[in-house]
Amino acid sequence: MNRKLSHAAAIKIVLAAVAVLSAPQATGTSRYATRLLGYRPAPGQFMNLEITTDSLAVLGPVDSVSDSDEQATSGLVSLGNFGGYLILAFDTPVENNPQNPYGVDFTIFGNSIGLSSCEPAAVQVMVDENGNGLPDDGPWLELAGSDYWLPSTRHNTVFTYQNPLYNVAHQVPFTTNHSTSGAVLTADTHTQPYYPDPFLFESVSAESYSLEGSLIEGAVDMRNPRNITFLKQPAFGYADNHLTPSSIALSGPRNPYFADENGAPADGFDISWAVDGQGNHVELERIDFIRIYNPMSINRGWLGETSPEIAGVVITEPDPNYTPRDYWLNYLYAPSPQVAKGTTVKLTGILFRNGRPCPDAPAVYTVSDPSVGTVDSNGNFTALAEGKTTVTFSASDEAPADEIEICVTSLTGVGIDFNNKAAASATATCTVGEKLYIPVVSLDNSPELFGTSASSNRYSADTYTWYNTRPSVGTVDECGTFTALKSGSTVLTVESQTDPSFYAEIKITVKEPVDVSLRATELTFTDEAPAGNLTDRMLFRTTDNSTVIITSAVPRSADLNLWLKGNRICYDFSPLSSFSDILDIEATHCGKNLSFEIPVSYTAQTSAIVDTKSLQQQSYTIFDLTGTPVANGQFSSEIALPATLPKGIYILRSGDTSIKIHN
């Protein structure tokens, strides 16, 4: 989520217990998602906050607050960066019913309010063939949206995210199975770690984990770093893409392709869009599960990463009076509104009929000003002179032509873009073994100046070549990810491939890992808090907020209720008597194995209310905490321990009665 989070104060988070109490329909089942079968978010700026930890908020109805075009306001669940997903199920199968208006079988609600806030989420479906209520019936089938069919889309993409191992906000590096790399960058508005806490998300490893899906490029307009927006949204087939009014839950779906007499398009889905892993359409009568995931990886400056938010799902009620018809759509895609003078880029036009592409339709491309640029019959646009021209695409008269304004420009420089302040020179520090992604941007001479600290507009369609003065200190790949190998300094030069006369430099200093020390000389617990967990940050001190990975925690003598979970030491001493022990902790930090020992003690309840009258005339035995008898006695008006016993905790037993007493 990006700028739209400025509205977060107005967004009501629905409690999970309330979310499942949707009003039953006439059939006795809910039209809303009622079960969350999986949630595995990707790293992002909302990670470890309520919008990711309260994942059940996506269940049940969205708030139908009015019949106006207001966005859904029920609880939101963020998916994070590329690949983050959730899996939902329903009380009843979702039917692919021809009587559903527009062919829309269900609608997904997000919190998109326009181009500056849309964050498209792809959707997959599955049929419960074996009837066990679990999504284990073979591969997921994608409901192929408009951008699924673009040549720039990379199917079967796997991102592997690496934990940067910091207890504060820090970029999260990733690699892909397409030999590319990058990072989820930080935003000033969120300072907590962006990597999922493995204690809160048990499916996430403390070191790294992978997510997959179809990676779409997205027509994002990066020119203005203060307001990075979409040049145009994907046409259809994505959640959190259009403003989807919550009133749809009552009034029925909107046209998913274009505006009509019922209003602007909304994020409805037709099961007939389903395709297999090879992109072949699969005919389904119904589905039982949906999987919603983020198909994009885009850093949008101070707005943070593109991370869809999902508010809920509603199944369409068939309309017996609806007459099915065809919906045609001409769709033109350009990866950027800018093209450098003297270069050629590929624009893609696709004709859709009811959400399925028509590959044999005759494409016609035209430009409004051929002196600025020309376009051939395959959509290849060649930039001739600085200025603007509009490219138009049409493959059928059944729908209006689609168009995009293209700005032909020339580069003026290259900048290192930390904190959205592009500079020709920069410095950075990192630790041996760390990966540091270096964001780079080109600048151009377009007439729009946005009043930023940058010298001119950003140009996002460039590619770069990297040079390194001291590869022994660290290496840099073609995507700009630096891997620190040993302490020292090196200078990286990044050169524009569009115009090699422009370049920027960054000096990187690699340091040895900082020392790790214990925060306390001992750990003490009482009955006031006999159970809980200890994070690495509670146990260890590092001067750079780096994370220490706990690999084992073993008491030397006592059999304590103590275990490891998600890099935390969990404990429950409430059923135990008081004890003192030594805890041996093994850990790793920046690849180095560490060992610590720390005294740990627990003081159990030291007083008890005893009905001594009922125990009078009964004998008792006193045991120490090792179970050894140390004295005998007989109840009277009060309990008294022999003066010869050392100070400490004792257990008094008489028949089936046990009393803990303190001497």
Side-chain angles (χ1 to χ4, degrees):
M1 187 160 83
N2 298 304
R3 170 180 285 191
K4 59 192 176 184
L5 241 177
S6 62
H7 304 284
I11 296 174
K12 178 161 65 76
I13 302 298
V14 177
L15 295 176
V18 177
V20 296
L21 300 177
S22 55
Q25 308 302 306
T27 59
T29 58
S30 172
R31 292 173 54 221
Y32 304 94
T34 55
R35 288 187 296 149
L36 178 67
L37 301 182
Y39 176 55
R40 201 179 191 200
Q45 61 183 313
F46 305 118
M47 188 47 55
N48 307 313
L49 303 178
E50 186 178 27
I51 199 169
T52 53
T53 59
D54 183 21
S55 56
L56 293 179
V58 75
L59 299 179
V62 297
D63 287 348
S64 300
V65 294
S66 72
D67 292 329
S68 63
D69 279 1
E70 297 183 28
Q71 69 186 74
T73 55
S74 66
L76 294 170
V77 178
S78 179
L79 302 183
N81 200 60
F82 173 84
Y85 70 84
L86 55 84
I87 300 173
L88 299 173
F90 305 85
D91 285 346
T92 184
V94 184
E95 303 291 339
N96 188 4
N97 194 324
Q99 296 304 122
N100 287 336
Y102 305 108
V104 170
D105 303 306
F106 60 91
T107 298
I108 299 178
F109 302 90
N111 65 344
S112 173
I113 57 176
L115 288 175
S116 64
S117 67
C118 73
E119 298 175 296
V123 177
Q124 297 174 321
V125 297
M126 185 181 292
V127 180
D128 189 9
E129 297 283 4
N130 59 21
N132 67 351
L134 298 174
D136 56 2
D137 302 85
W140 289 96
L141 304 176
E142 185 134 342
L143 298 188
S146 57
D147 287 24
Y148 177 93
W149 304 103
L150 296 174
S152 58
T153 296
R154 291 189 171 187
H155 302 291
N156 305 310
T157 296
V158 178
F159 272 46
T160 298
Y161 295 99
Q162 178 181 317
N163 191 343
L165 297 176
Y166 283 90
N167 289 313
V168 293
H170 195 280
Q171 61 170 242
V172 181
F174 62 78
T175 57
T176 79
N177 60 335
H178 300 301
S179 300
T180 60
S181 66
V184 181
L185 302 184
T186 60
D188 291 342
T189 51
H190 295 93
T191 59
Q192 85 290 346
Y194 286 19
Y195 189 90
D197 183 342
F199 180 83
L200 302 175
F201 302 93
E202 296 185 33
S203 65
V204 174
S205 164
E207 288 80 26
S208 66
Y209 71 115
S210 298
L211 296 167
E212 61 183 318
S214 292
L215 177 65
I216 66 175
E217 194 173 51
V220 178
D221 187 350
M222 308 287 283
R223 287 176 290 182
N224 182 358
R226 291 192 176 183
N227 186 25
I228 296 173
T229 181
F230 272 72
L231 174 63
K232 63 189 304 181
Q233 296 149 293
F236 66 90
Y238 298 90
D240 200 19
N241 187 34
H242 297 95
L243 189 158
T244 299
S246 57
S247 58
I248 286 176
L250 300 178
S251 62
R254 294 274 186 92
N255 190 325
Y257 307 110
F258 49 81
D260 64 10
E261 65 276 6
N262 288 325
D267 297 332
F269 295 82
D270 187 346
I271 294 173
S272 296
W273 300 338
V275 296
D276 61 19
Q278 289 71 48
N280 302 309
H281 279 94
V282 179
E283 302 298 333
L284 299 173
E285 295 182 357
R286 62 176 176 84
I287 58 99
D288 297 280
F289 312 109
I290 66 172
R291 180 179 183 269
I292 308 171
Y293 75 92
N294 185 358
M296 303 186 72
S297 179
I298 296 179
N299 288 298
R300 294 168 69 176
W302 69 273
L303 297 170
E305 80 290 340
T306 296
S307 50
E309 279 74 51
I310 305 302
V313 183
V314 63
I315 301 173
T316 302
E317 288 188 326
D319 180 357
N321 298 317
Y322 176 72
T323 301
R325 51 158 289 194
D326 288 334
Y327 293 92
W328 297 86
L329 180 72
N330 289 306
Y331 178 53
L332 178 61
Y333 171 82
S336 169
Q338 304 153 290
V339 179
K341 178 182 174 181
T343 65
T344 298
V345 298
K346 179 71 169 67
L347 310 183
T348 302
I350 303 176
L351 174 66
F352 290 97
R353 177 185 174 217
N354 300 327
R356 293 191 178 189
C358 304
D360 297 327
V364 178
Y365 297 89
T366 60
V367 293
S368 62
D369 188 347
S371 68
V372 174
T374 60
V375 63
D376 65 17
S377 60
N378 294 316
N380 296 305
F381 178 86
T382 300
L384 301 178
E386 294 178 9
K388 293 182 179 180
T389 185
T390 298
V391 180
T392 301
F393 162 77
S394 179
S396 173
D397 293 335
E398 296 286 346
D402 198 12
E403 62 182 32
I404 293 177
E405 182 182 73
I406 298 295
C407 176
V408 175
T409 184
S410 296
L411 268 58
T412 59
V414 171
I416 307 295
D417 200 27
F418 286 121
N419 301 316
N420 307 307
K421 297 178 180 178
S425 62
T427 60
T429 60
C430 59
T431 302
V432 172
E434 188 174 344
K435 291 185 181 295
L436 176 67
Y437 175 70
I438 305 166
V440 180
V441 65
S442 294
L443 309 173
D444 73 0
N445 65 350
S446 297
E448 296 91 347
L449 296 178
F450 300 105
T452 70
S453 58
S455 58
S456 61
N457 307 330
R458 308 300 175 90
Y459 176 80
S460 61
D462 208 352
T463 53
Y464 305 97
T465 302
W466 290 86
Y467 303 94
N468 185 359
T469 59
R470 295 184 65 193
S472 62
V473 172
T475 60
V476 61
D477 66 20
E478 62 182 10
C479 299
T481 298
F482 177 81
T483 302
L485 301 178
K486 70 175 186 179
S487 59
S489 296
T490 185
V491 176
L492 306 181
T493 302
V494 56
E495 179 184 273
S496 166
Q497 290 188 355
T498 301
D499 186 341
S501 66
F502 296 115
Y503 62 91
E505 292 183 341
I506 179 170
K507 180 180 179 180
I508 299 181
T509 301
V510 179
K511 299 180 178 180
E512 292 292 336
V514 300
D515 292 332
V516 179
S517 60
L518 289 171
R519 286 190 175 274
T521 57
E522 62 179 337
L523 300 174
T524 59
F525 305 91
T526 68
D527 272 343
E528 294 180 356
N533 61 81
L534 300 170
T535 67
D536 74 290
R537 198 170 186 176
M538 296 177 182
L539 293 167
F540 306 107
R541 179 181 289 107
T542 58
T543 56
D544 61 353
N545 290 309
S546 53
T547 302
V548 178
I549 299 294
I550 306 167
T551 56
S552 70
V554 180
R556 290 187 181 176
S557 56
D559 184 14
L560 306 182
N561 295 339
L562 184 149
W563 64 97
L564 292 183
K565 177 185 175 183
N567 205 36
R568 301 192 192 188
I569 299 177
C570 302
Y571 59 90
D572 184 0
F573 301 146
S574 54
L576 301 182
S577 303
S578 299
F579 65 82
S580 296
D581 203 350
I582 300 294
L583 188 62
D584 290 314
I585 301 176
E586 300 293 326
T588 63
H589 178 257
C590 297
K592 182 180 180 180
N593 295 324
L594 305 173
S595 298
F596 300 92
E597 60 178 48
I598 185 169
V600 56
S601 63
Y602 170 62
T603 303
Q605 183 176 340
T606 58
S607 61
I609 300 176
V610 182
D611 183 3
T612 57
K613 291 183 179 180
S614 65
L615 298 176
Q616 288 183 18
Q617 308 307 315
Q618 294 185 27
S619 60
Y620 57 81
T621 303
I622 299 173
F623 299 83
D624 64 14
L625 293 182
T626 67
T628 302
V630 294
N632 295 305
Q634 190 168 11
F635 286 102
S636 60
S637 59
E638 62 181 11
I639 299 172
L641 295 176
T644 56
L645 288 179
K647 298 293 184 182
I649 306 297
Y650 295 88
I651 304 297
L652 182 151
R653 293 194 178 98
S654 178
D656 294 331
T657 301
S658 295
I659 303 171
K660 187 185 299 181
I661 55 179
H662 186 274
N663 184 22

